[in-house]
Amino acid sequence: MLRWLDREVELTRLEHDFLHRLLDAPGQVLTYERLHLEVWGNQHLGRGSDIHSVVRRVRRKLAEVQAAATIHAVRGVGFRLTAA
C-alpha cells in the first residue's frame, strides 16, 4: 500500500520492494544491478525492461496519490528518488 496524506493506492510486491529500496536511500542513485539483486533477487541481465516497467507503474501511482516525490532515471546507471 502506498499512502500519501489522505490518498492511498495498492502496490504489487515488486512495486513495493522497488519503492522501498529507493526510500531507504533518498537522493542516492541505485544502480540497475543493485536494484535487480535486491528486488528481483538475481543478476541484472539484458535491457532492463522489467525495471522500467515497474518504474513506469510506480511513477503513475505516485502521481495518483499526488506524492511529493518522483523517480529520476540516471541514464545508463539506475534510478533515484527525489522530492518533486
Side-chain angles (χ1 to χ4, degrees):
M1 175 79 60
L2 171 62
R3 186 173 298 141
W4 180 258
L5 301 175
D6 62 341
R7 297 174 182 94
E8 58 186 43
V9 65
E10 291 292 326
L11 296 174
T12 67
R13 183 193 62 80
L14 285 175
E15 293 165 351
H16 172 273
D17 292 353
F18 177 82
L19 185 56
H20 188 265
R21 295 310 180 278
L22 293 178
L23 286 168
D24 281 347
Q28 180 182 343
V29 177
L30 300 182
T31 65
Y32 293 115
E33 290 79 11
R34 178 175 173 187
L35 287 165
H36 228 278
L37 185 62
E38 293 181 5
V39 176
W40 281 262
N42 57 32
Q43 295 289 335
H44 170 68
L45 301 172
R47 299 174 298 146
S49 58
D50 49 357
I51 289 177
H52 291 284
S53 176
V54 169
V55 168
R56 194 170 34 255
R57 293 192 318 257
V58 172
R59 281 179 175 155
R60 188 177 326 123
K61 290 178 180 185
L62 286 169
E64 278 182 46
V65 297
Q66 299 176 348
T70 189
I71 299 170
H72 286 278
V74 179
R75 188 176 180 97
V77 179
F79 296 96
R80 72 173 167 223
L81 185 70
T82 58

